[in-house]
Amino acid sequence: MSDLPRRAVTRSAKLATLPLGFAGRAALGIGKRIGGKSAEVVAQEIQQRTAEQIFKVLGELKGGAMKLGQALSIFEAALPPEIVGPYRATLTKLQDAAPPLPVATVHKVLTEQLGDDWRENFQSFDDQPTAAASIGQVHKAVWHDGREVAVKIQYPGAGKALLGDFAQLARLGKLFGVLLPGLDIKAVLAELRERIAEELDYLREAEAQHAFALEFDDDPDFHVPDVVAANEMILVTEWMDGTPLSRIISDGTKEERDRAGLLFVRFLFCSPARVGMLHADPHPGNFRMLPNGKLGVLDFGAVNRLPDGYPRAFGQLTRIFNQGDMDTVVAGLRAEGFIRPEIEVDVDALRVFLAPYVEPTAVEEFTFSREWLQAQAASVTDLRPTNVVRQLNLPVTYVLIHRVHAAGVGVLCQLGTTARFRDEVIRWVPGFSDDPNDEPISVS
């Protein structure tokens, strides 16, 4: 990652191939129509090839392109596995292969950020990182007062590379419009860029983590390590041991996996109500099961600030869907911006698409599984222009909420958790309980 700035030209060149490729395919399509192929067949061919190129190029890039791919994961279900399969495989490989900074570079960053006497802050400092991610890496150390701490160091040039990706991606609105005609991609990109800028500021992360640590101090279910020191590119927090959630997934008993999954959901749903923020990066590496049975939570770089808790409409529409009133659901989705004014959707297809997201809230107890997830994905895999997924929009206020829910469902399916998830939604999500004080949603 230390060569991020030098790779900027290469990254721009890869992104620039996207509109060029689309122009070539569109010209080819016109030629085919002149040759007698139907407009619908040609359109499908252009969309498929466009999708293949988008996911190939995004998959080869980290940074902003990877963040966009994560945010648009809901739309992957609308595309055939032969297109998104290689994309997901490439992302996994990239995420697993973040190389550590050379020791000399680590020391240089520490000197630049903390001064020539940076070692005086620590009794000891391990030069080998314990974890590496897309914008930084973590080292274990002992603070000068004897506390074990985690020292998070941002990669030099990471911010420039991430924000540069978004500058390039913002030029590709027409391309995404071909693939996903219902999506306002420019608004999604603007929202993601703003959130990425926050992720790059470790002072903002420190503020968020400290707020979580205060709220969950002595909590029976959760533990958040508090902040020890921070500036824009260095974050020092209390060290936390525990069993990574990935190990619970691979080796945990059914009882352990059920407990971990329930706490995982409870944390995500209760945090907006209790802290006014949603942890927006819920992958297994950010969670630990502690010996005392609590769920430990790490990495607050990506948070969605929700001072009023979850949007009330989210709970209302979930409840109304369970009651079977699809006219009101469609009206509510339009009001929230999920269906843009010029877009018409097939209500039955929309019901099929939404059912998996709502199903766990419709029953007293639910079991997530990989097989269940695969069946849901298969039910909406369809590249035709009429596919309801491709007609939907992702409003900016829901970009991170969707990211959390999509990733969270994936984690729960890996855990195979059985639990009373409906109880958590009733307790923490406004509008889900049948409240007579709720304002009705107009269907006009």
Side-chain angles (χ1 to χ4, degrees), residues 201-396:
D201 185 348
Y202 282 2
L203 280 174
R204 285 186 69 93
E205 179 174 350
E207 176 190 10
Q209 183 159 343
H210 181 59
F212 275 86
L214 284 179
E215 173 59 36
F216 293 112
D217 186 36
D218 291 328
D219 189 270
D221 293 326
F222 309 111
H223 174 70
V224 176
D226 208 348
V227 175
V228 175
N231 67 16
E232 287 85 352
M233 293 184 66
I234 303 286
L235 176 60
V236 183
T237 63
E238 296 170 342
W239 183 262
M240 182 177 69
D241 284 312
T243 303
L245 202 56
S246 56
R247 196 174 305 161
I248 301 293
I249 288 170
S250 61
D251 303 328
T253 64
K254 175 62 174 168
E255 183 180 4
E256 289 169 336
R257 288 183 284 114
D258 287 350
R259 167 75 176 167
L262 178 61
L263 290 182
F264 177 77
V265 169
R266 183 173 297 163
F267 178 77
L268 295 177
F269 278 129
C270 80
S271 297
R274 294 180 60 177
V275 193
M277 287 181 275
L278 174 67
H279 186 293
D281 193 10
H283 71 74
N286 288 336
F287 297 88
R288 305 276 188 276
M289 287 304 299
L290 309 185
N292 60 9
K294 295 184 182 184
L295 181 69
V297 188
L298 301 167
D299 197 341
F300 293 83
V303 297
N304 193 5
R305 286 171 169 78
L306 298 169
D308 300 320
Y310 267 97
R312 177 167 288 274
F314 173 80
Q316 284 182 300
L317 292 173
T318 302
R319 164 169 52 83
I320 293 166
F321 183 95
N322 285 336
Q323 294 168 347
D325 183 356
M326 284 303 295
D327 288 341
T328 303
V329 169
V330 171
L333 290 174
R334 286 194 183 279
E336 289 297 296
F338 285 96
I339 305 173
R340 297 167 79 187
E342 71 277 11
I343 298 292
E344 293 298 326
V345 297
D346 181 320
V347 174
D348 290 333
L350 181 65
R351 182 189 292 109
V352 170
F353 170 68
L354 293 176
Y357 293 92
V358 180
E359 187 179 348
T361 72
V363 293
E364 294 300 315
E365 188 175 77
F366 187 81
T367 299
F368 285 92
S369 69
R370 297 172 194 263
E371 294 75 20
W372 172 81
L373 185 61
Q374 288 163 2
Q376 309 317 313
S379 70
V380 291
T381 298
D382 179 0
L383 196 61
R384 287 176 298 181
T386 53
N387 183 352
V388 70
V389 187
R390 298 183 57 250
Q391 307 301 319
L392 297 178
N393 184 38
L394 187 57
V396 293

Side-chain angles (χ1 to χ4, degrees), residues 13 19 33 35 81 184 217 223 229 330 377 402 423 432:
R33 284 204 298 276
D184 183 357
D217 186 36
H223 174 70
V330 171
H402 160 66
D423 290 350
F432 182 76

Side-chain angles (χ1 to χ4, degrees), residues 13-226:
K14 281 186 176 179
L15 288 168
T17 64
L18 287 173
L20 290 174
F22 169 64
R25 283 190 299 279
L28 179 64
I30 293 170
K32 284 186 174 180
R33 284 204 298 276
I34 293 172
K37 277 201 173 186
S38 75
E40 184 177 357
V41 170
V42 172
Q44 280 189 240
E45 289 180 1
I46 289 176
Q47 287 157 1
Q48 178 145 355
R49 290 175 185 172
T50 300
E52 288 170 353
Q53 192 175 17
I54 285 177
F55 283 99
K56 180 177 184 294
V57 174
L58 291 185
E60 290 172 354
L61 294 168
K62 287 181 77 73
M66 189 165 75
K67 299 291 185 184
L68 175 64
Q70 292 169 343
L72 297 184
S73 58
I74 186 173
F75 301 106
E76 289 181 31
L79 301 172
E82 62 267 21
I83 293 177
V84 293
Y87 165 70
R88 291 178 185 145
T90 306
L91 279 190
T92 301
K93 184 171 68 176
L94 285 169
Q95 290 167 330
D96 292 343
L101 287 174
V103 173
T105 306
V106 171
H107 291 176
K108 182 181 178 183
V109 174
L110 288 166
T111 300
E112 289 173 351
Q113 295 297 313
L114 303 179
D116 293 334
D117 58 350
W118 66 267
R119 287 190 181 276
E120 294 181 11
N121 293 296
F122 304 97
Q123 291 184 13
S124 64
F125 182 91
D126 188 346
D127 286 335
Q128 298 305 310
T130 60
S134 58
I135 65 171
Q137 63 189 41
V138 177
H139 293 255
K140 188 174 184 179
V142 177
W143 196 239
H144 57 77
D145 62 5
R147 281 182 290 174
E148 288 189 328
V149 293
V151 183
K152 188 173 180 179
I153 300 172
Q154 191 173 125
Y155 298 130
K160 183 178 179 181
L162 277 169
L163 298 177
D165 281 354
F166 277 99
Q168 292 283 337
L169 288 165
R171 301 171 188 169
L172 306 179
K174 183 182 290 187
L175 189 69
F176 283 97
V178 171
L179 187 64
L180 303 163
L183 179 68
D184 183 357
I185 187 66
K186 289 186 178 180
V188 171
L189 284 170
E191 173 70 9
L192 283 172
R193 192 183 192 283
E194 195 172 324
R195 299 289 80 80
I196 290 296
E198 290 184 3
E199 267 188 73
L200 292 165
D201 185 348
Y202 282 2
L203 280 174
R204 285 186 69 93
E205 179 174 350
E207 176 190 10
Q209 183 159 343
H210 181 59
F212 275 86
L214 284 179
E215 173 59 36
F216 293 112
D217 186 36
D218 291 328
D219 189 270
D221 293 326
F222 309 111
H223 174 70
V224 176
D226 208 348

